[in-house]
Amino acid sequence: MITSKVLLVIEDDLGLQKQLKWAFEQYEVVIASNRDEAIAALRRYTPSVVTLDLGLPPDPTNATEGLATLKEILALAPATKIIVVTGNDDRANAIHAVALGAYDFYQKPVDPDVLGLIIERAFQLDALERDYQILQQQKPLTGVIATSPQMQAVMRMIEKIAPTQATVLLIGESGTGKELLAKALHRLSTRASQPFVAVNCAAIPETLLESELFGYEKGAFTGAVAQTKGKIEYAQGGTFFLDEIGDLPFALQAKLLRFIQERVIERLGGRKEIAVDVRIICATHRHLPDLIAQGNFRGDLYYRLSEIVVDIPPLREREGDIITIANALLQRYCRENNSKEKHFSHDAARALEAYNWPGNIREMENKIKRAVILSDNNFVTAEELEIGTDSDKSMPLNLKSVREAAETIAIKRALTYADNNISEAAKLLGVTRPTLYGLFEKYGLQALLRNHTDEHQD
């Protein structure tokens, strides 16, 4: 059955060519016997996935021609998923091929069922990457990288409330991307063509903040040599973003409340009321009800600001987002610093997932940027990231619950580190395959069995 999935098989053995073409009839299989034929097929069919025998003519006894073919394919089509096929005694070249950019490797003799699972995973990854590119081209939330259910819910909420005129309060720890989401609200709103003006209440001295917000008239104070508009006026017709609203001085809160209620301001030293049409978005990492209870924040202002509240989860609570965001940042900083393409080593991936990220995405940006600059290798290590781990992150006190939670996490991580290979995951966990299957059933993890191999692939 011919489908839109094109699989390029680069293999000089005629018998194996026929076997693979028959075994993978669910794809559109294109055969190439050497490098020239492979490049010609690549240009003509633009396959998403390629299987590449490293032992190609004119010297099929070593991997020189196969590795050269690999490099040329990746130079022409970097997104192609290449699965290199090697002999039993050629693991070193297979690992070298993966370091050069191959998606995976498989050692002969060929078992079509096992190889087929690797190929299908490669097609699935390719589909995910294409979907992501489409989303990026649509750019509904440019710059927001999120696959976790927690952040998907936040993004859906942002998309719903963006076209409205509601005042929005974004709540989240420092470094979670509050300003990024505020800009997304602006871009998706009817005010997108008008200014987006941001003021950080914690970054401006209290003595200057009032004039920064509301502006001043000539002669209002020493040094006021000309009439000056405030940031609120500059946002006319657009969006005014007040970051760290919890740090707004109490004396200014009454003046801001009046503006929110009446949509008029008065410059310092002025008597004229100035109407300003803006949408207001605020953000804070502080718990405003606590500030109200302490007498440091006005309750009436809080209720005006919180027409819609969006809670942004910290990075440590966003399932699956840590490694996704880290990979995106790694590639971005490689491009920005003119560095060769890098990947995370296994120990770095483990450390990224285990770390608590108190500084959230901002902290991650700093650590990855530094590692890219200082690393001389293709793989960034945990040591270069300079992160430790928290072994007791939010663990329950009940011992049975602790054990179940720990075993569930260990199973998921073992599958990730074993590249979805059940046998290898069982070895990492120190259990047999039947025991591992029993744990899947015990903890309701049967869904994880889909798209995983059951045999060792080495």
Side-chain angles (χ1 to χ4, degrees):
M1 178 179 63
I2 302 300
T3 71
S4 59
K5 294 181 178 179
V6 179
L7 171 66
L8 173 58
V9 173
I10 307 173
E11 172 61 58
D12 64 322
D13 185 306
L14 294 177
L16 195 51
Q17 287 179 4
K18 293 179 181 178
Q19 180 187 3
L20 295 178
K21 190 161 188 175
W22 173 82
F24 303 131
E25 60 182 0
Q26 69 269 40
Y27 309 119
E28 182 177 353
V29 179
V30 178
I31 301 293
S33 300
N34 53 54
R35 193 194 334 179
D36 290 341
E37 290 180 7
I39 299 306
L42 181 76
R43 296 181 185 277
R44 180 177 177 182
Y45 297 99
T46 60
S48 300
V49 179
V50 173
T51 66
L52 169 63
D53 187 345
L54 289 184
L56 291 178
D59 188 6
T61 59
N62 66 57
T64 303
E65 186 69 7
L67 292 173
T69 304
L70 170 70
K71 292 177 183 177
E72 191 166 352
I73 291 174
L74 290 176
L76 293 170
T80 306
K81 305 295 175 286
I82 303 176
I83 302 160
V84 296
V85 181
T86 68
N88 284 326
D89 56 350
D90 201 17
R91 185 182 178 88
N93 278 320
I95 294 173
H96 180 51
V98 171
L100 291 174
Y103 166 72
D104 205 344
F105 71 91
Y106 181 81
Q107 289 181 290
K108 294 179 180 178
V110 171
D111 181 336
D113 291 335
V114 177
L115 181 57
L117 287 170
I118 301 174
I119 291 170
E120 182 56 31
R121 284 207 310 272
F123 274 115
Q124 289 172 355
L125 177 59
D126 178 73
L128 286 172
E129 290 176 350
R130 290 176 187 271
D131 288 345
Y132 177 74
Q133 289 171 359
I134 291 171
L135 288 173
Q136 287 295 96
Q137 290 167 3
Q138 294 172 346
K139 294 186 178 179
L141 289 170
T142 304
V144 180
I145 303 170
T147 59
S148 66
Q150 296 90 341
M151 277 305 293
Q152 289 293 326
V154 169
M155 292 165 72
R156 285 194 296 271
M157 191 173 184
I158 294 293
E159 290 170 345
K160 284 182 180 179
I161 63 181
T164 73
Q165 300 303 315
T167 300
V168 180
L169 177 61
L170 303 170
I171 299 177
E173 295 180 6
S174 296
T176 50
K178 295 187 290 294
E179 184 168 353
L180 195 65
L181 290 176
K183 290 179 178 177
L185 279 167
H186 174 69
R187 279 195 306 273
L188 294 173
S189 75
T190 57
R191 300 173 180 266
S193 61
Q194 301 301 316
F196 174 90
V197 178
V199 172
N200 188 320
C201 299
I204 301 173
E206 184 175 344
T207 53
L208 300 178
L209 187 55
E210 184 175 4
S211 60
E212 185 77 7
L213 291 174
F214 299 99
Y216 53 87
E217 298 290 347
K218 181 179 179 180
F221 50 83
T222 303
V225 297
Q227 183 189 81
T228 302
K229 290 183 178 180
K231 289 293 182 68
I232 293 175
E233 277 187 83
Y234 279 113
Q236 172 66 37
T239 301
F240 182 58
F241 176 53
L242 270 168
D243 199 4
E244 298 303 348
I245 189 68
D247 293 294
L248 184 70
F250 195 83
L252 274 182
Q253 292 177 23
K255 192 166 184 177
L256 180 64
L257 176 63
R258 178 174 182 264
F259 163 64
I260 294 172
Q261 289 175 328
E262 302 178 19
R263 290 300 199 260
V264 296
I265 63 167
E266 289 181 12
R267 299 190 189 112
L268 269 70
R271 295 291 182 268
K272 177 184 177 183
E273 290 186 343
I274 302 169
V276 183
D277 172 29
V278 298
R279 187 203 189 156
I280 298 172
I281 301 173
C282 298
T284 182
H285 72 283
R286 308 182 72 177
H287 190 248
L288 295 185
D290 285 349
L291 296 181
I292 294 171
Q294 296 162 11
N296 295 323
F297 202 85
R298 296 178 63 109
D300 48 3
L301 176 58
Y302 170 70
Y303 294 120
R304 284 288 183 179
L305 295 176
S306 58
E307 288 181 353
I308 296 180
V309 177
V310 179
D311 285 300
I312 307 169
L315 185 56
R316 62 184 171 275
E317 295 178 5
R318 293 163 55 172
E319 299 167 12
D321 277 357
I322 289 176
I323 198 67
T324 302
I325 294 172
N327 276 319
L329 292 175
L330 181 64
Q331 300 313 313
R332 184 177 103 193
Y333 290 136
C334 283
R335 291 193 301 270
E336 290 180 359
N337 292 281
N338 298 315
S339 172
K340 59 186 177 182
E341 185 177 356
K342 298 179 186 293
H343 303 278
F344 291 114
S345 65
H346 287 306
D347 68 315
R350 286 193 291 269
L352 285 165
E353 290 183 335
Y355 186 55
N356 203 44
W357 296 110
N360 293 292
I361 298 172
R362 188 178 294 120
E363 180 185 11
M364 179 182 282
E365 289 175 335
N366 292 339
K367 289 187 178 298
I368 293 178
K369 189 173 188 177
R370 178 187 181 280
V372 166
I373 293 171
L374 297 181
S375 176
D376 295 323
N377 302 310
N378 290 330
F379 289 91
V380 173
T381 66
E383 182 179 0
E384 289 166 335
L385 289 170
E386 292 188 338
I387 54 179
T389 61
D390 282 335
S391 60
D392 60 344
K393 293 193 297 181
S394 304
M395 291 296 285
L397 290 177
N398 181 275
L399 288 178
K400 182 174 183 293
S401 299
V402 169
R403 183 171 61 253
E404 291 177 352
E407 288 185 354
T408 299
I409 292 170
I411 290 168
K412 291 179 178 179
R413 288 182 176 171
L415 285 169
T416 300
Y417 302 151
D419 195 21
N420 303 328
N421 184 295
I422 296 292
S423 297
E424 193 66 29
K427 288 182 181 179
L428 289 173
L429 292 166
V431 298
T432 64
R433 280 210 317 275
T435 298
L436 181 54
Y437 280 113
L439 291 172
F440 277 118
E441 184 174 354
K442 178 180 178 181
Y443 297 131
L445 301 175
Q446 293 92 333
L448 296 179
L449 290 171
R450 291 196 296 268
N451 302 321
H452 293 80
T453 59
D454 187 41
E455 298 299 330
H456 191 68
Q457 297 175 11
D458 292 345

